[in-house]
């Protein structure tokens, strides 16, 4: 008989042997004190820490306007939504949130999902049902949710080299001109922090008659005049057919969405199992997300401070000779290149300096490119940056890692 327990042991031990076994860090954020948090150690003791790897990029999870909206909705309606969107789970809060998102992106409609992962997976796996024979052209470094959605849809797919517009053109030109086509890509790729060539891809889409699908999850709230993302910043939103975004990063709450034409949203909601059979977001979350989106449409000062903090951190790390990857976005990866040392630095930052940043290892990034990925926010003070720089300087020397110029 099969020894299933032994199989699990082998699988887990393989992760330990490669230095990429992942451990949950038990932290508790305290309202109004982010990025400070409390870490509960394995022995039950507590330690004050500073979170440097969170996706609450702007600290909106602590914003009083967001919390007030959530409290109001909770007191008015209770905890859960009570059902799927089709069966009793559509409330005034969900409709208001979708209206805010459609307005944000200059689209006719928006459709809210329980996460941006589900939004990507459900939409991309459903599109071939709407357009038989659809060919999807996907950037090689797209999010796992996009890859999964494309893989599951049963249609034809083409993977083009990351940000390689010439390769994308070759693939488009090789296929039947009459076949329906869609190009799926991102505005900011989170592991390196580089930008997608939006304008060039839109040009190709128009030339070859393809739809465009952009993932803006690491950009919404933070880029553009109203926080609609890089496509808004670059004046290109009107050239994008489907925009995917998240409510769980810069907006500080939970959920994901697409924004598109009214017909596109209607068709996706009518055909996508990931939408049809999922209980809708709680009204309190929908209310908080709508308040966050509404607030960030006008808070340019917060966006400016965010970019300033990221620029300062990159400048300070570069001054130490650390190999940062800098493509001009708010994401600050530091290349380590060794899974064991990457985890060692992460562990020591937490235990010795109260600095929490998770190691990024394979399969999230290729082997040999292991890194620490810092996400500075407007609420990371200059003093916090000083502490991080001092700790990184010491640990880099302790691990005998090379100091190099910035890469990217």
């Amino acid at each position: 008989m099969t020894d299933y327990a032994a199989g699990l042991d082998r699988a887990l031990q393989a992760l330990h042997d490669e230095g990429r076994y992942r451990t949950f860090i038990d932290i508790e954020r305290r309202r109004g004190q982010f990025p400070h948090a409390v870490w509960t150690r394995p022995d039950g003791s507590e330690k004050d820490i500073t979170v440097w790897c969170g996706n609450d990029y702007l600290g909106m999870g602590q914003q009083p306007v967001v919390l007030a909206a959530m409290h109001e909705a909770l007191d008015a309606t209770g905890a859960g939504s009570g059902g799927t969107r089709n069966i009793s789970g559509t409330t005034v809060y969900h409709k208001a949130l979708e209206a805010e998102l459609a307005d944000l992106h200059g689209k006719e409609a928006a459709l809210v999902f329980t996460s941006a992962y589900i939004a990507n997976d459900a939409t991309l796996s459903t599109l071939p049902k709407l357009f038989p024979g659809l060919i999807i052209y996907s950037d090689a470094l797209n999010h796992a949710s996009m890859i999964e959605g494309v893989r599951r849809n049963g249609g034809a797919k083409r993977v083009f080299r990351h940000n390689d517009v010439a390769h994308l053109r070759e693939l488009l030109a090789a296929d039947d001109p009459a076949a329906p086509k869609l190009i799926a890509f991102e505005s900011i790729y989170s592991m390196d922090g580089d930008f997608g060539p939006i304008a060039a891809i839109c040009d190709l889409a128009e030339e070859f008659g393809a739809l465009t699908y952009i993932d803006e999850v690491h950009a919404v709230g933070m880029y553009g005049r109203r926080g609609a993302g890089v496509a808004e910043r670059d004046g290109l939103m009107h050239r994008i057919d489907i925009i995917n975004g998240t409510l769980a990063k810069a907006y500080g709450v939970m959920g994901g969405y697409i924004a598109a034409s009214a017909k596109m949203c209607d068709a996706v909601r009518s055909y996508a199992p990931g939408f049809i059979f999922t209980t809708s977001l709680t009204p309190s979350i929908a209310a908080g997300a709508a308040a966050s989106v509404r607030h960030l449409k006008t808070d340019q000062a917060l966006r400016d401070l965010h970019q300033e903090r990221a620029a300062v951190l990159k400048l300070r790390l570069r001054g130490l000779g650390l190999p940062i990857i800098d493509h001009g976005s708010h994401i600050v990866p530091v290349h380590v290149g060794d899974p064991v040392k990457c985890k060692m630095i992460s562990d020591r930052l937490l235990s010795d300096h109260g600095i929490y940043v998770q190691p990024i290892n394979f399969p999230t990034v290729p082997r040999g490119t292991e890194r620490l990925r810092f996400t500075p926010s407007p609420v990371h003070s200059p003093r916090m940056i000083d502490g991080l720089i001092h700790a990184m300087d010491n640990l880099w020397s302790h691990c005998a890692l090379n100091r190099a110029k910035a890469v990217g």
Side-chain angles (χ1 to χ4, degrees), residues 43-60:
D43 64 6
S45 62
E46 295 185 344
K47 181 180 178 66
D48 291 333
I49 63 170
T50 303
V51 178
W52 274 99
C53 58
N55 283 337
D56 188 356
Y57 289 133
L58 301 177
M60 291 299 291

Side-chain angles (χ1 to χ4, degrees), residues 19-347:
R20 60 186 184 93
Y21 178 79
R22 303 184 185 198
T23 303
F24 287 150
I25 305 298
D26 185 358
I27 67 170
E28 181 181 356
R29 291 170 23 135
R30 300 286 169 87
R31 188 178 70 180
Q33 298 179 28
F34 183 76
H36 293 299
V38 176
W39 168 40
T40 301
R41 297 184 179 99
D43 64 6
S45 62
E46 295 185 344
K47 181 180 178 66
D48 291 333
I49 63 170
T50 303
V51 178
W52 274 99
C53 58
N55 283 337
D56 188 356
Y57 289 133
L58 301 177
M60 291 299 291
Q62 310 283 299
Q63 223 284 342
V65 170
V66 175
L67 299 183
M70 295 185 73
H71 280 295
E72 181 180 346
L74 182 64
D75 291 340
T77 70
S81 67
T84 66
R85 288 293 298 273
N86 287 323
I87 305 176
S88 81
T90 295
T91 70
V92 293
Y93 300 98
H94 297 87
K95 300 301 290 184
L97 173 57
E98 288 173 341
E100 285 286 354
L101 293 167
D103 171 75
L104 174 70
H105 292 291
K107 299 298 184 185
E108 293 177 340
L111 195 62
V112 170
F113 295 76
T114 51
S115 74
Y117 186 106
I118 297 299
N120 271 333
D121 184 14
T123 303
L124 289 169
S125 63
T126 296
L127 289 173
K129 300 176 187 176
L130 308 177
F131 308 106
L134 179 70
I135 304 170
I136 296 183
Y137 304 81
S138 179
D139 189 285
L141 293 189
N142 275 342
H143 276 126
S145 54
M146 300 174 76
I147 294 170
E148 185 65 12
V150 172
R151 184 190 67 80
R152 289 198 311 108
N153 65 31
K157 65 178 180 181
R158 312 281 187 262
V159 178
F160 60 94
R161 291 186 293 270
H162 177 53
N163 279 351
D164 190 334
V165 179
H167 187 217
L168 174 58
R169 168 181 281 281
E170 290 175 12
L171 295 175
L172 286 163
D175 283 319
D176 181 356
K181 302 174 178 67
L182 178 139
I183 306 170
F185 63 107
E186 299 182 29
S187 63
I188 298 179
Y189 292 84
S190 61
M191 288 302 106
D192 283 349
D194 56 330
F195 293 90
I198 302 175
I201 288 177
C202 288
D203 289 344
L204 283 181
E206 291 176 6
E207 180 181 348
F208 288 92
L211 295 171
T212 48
Y213 184 107
I214 191 170
D215 179 311
E216 290 255 35
V217 300
H218 290 281
V220 288
M222 296 170 283
Y223 294 82
R225 184 177 61 84
R226 299 199 304 158
V230 179
E232 182 191 34
R233 184 198 70 180
D234 295 348
L236 297 168
M237 277 199 302
H238 64 288
R239 302 181 69 186
I240 302 294
D241 294 295
I242 305 173
I243 297 172
N244 168 277
T246 185
L247 303 166
K249 291 182 171 62
Y251 292 118
V253 192
M254 178 186 175
Y257 63 89
I258 60 168
S261 68
K263 285 184 179 179
M264 182 69 77
C265 289
D266 192 20
V268 171
R269 79 167 184 88
S270 299
Y271 280 86
F275 180 86
I276 295 170
F277 298 107
T278 300
T279 298
S280 64
L281 291 176
T282 67
S284 58
I285 288 176
S292 186
V293 172
R294 192 179 309 118
H295 176 90
L296 284 177
K297 287 177 180 178
T298 61
D299 198 344
Q300 185 60 41
L302 193 63
R303 279 189 282 277
D304 290 342
L305 184 56
H306 181 220
Q307 292 295 321
E308 177 189 307
R309 291 285 192 264
V312 168
L313 179 60
K314 286 186 278 191
L315 182 65
R316 298 287 302 278
L317 289 168
R318 189 181 290 111
L320 295 178
L322 301 195
I324 72 169
I325 303 169
D326 185 6
H327 293 283
S329 75
H330 63 282
I331 296 171
V332 187
V334 178
H335 181 270
V336 178
D338 180 285
V340 175
K341 289 185 177 180
C342 195
K343 187 175 188 310
M344 180 189 303
I345 294 174
S346 172
D347 290 345

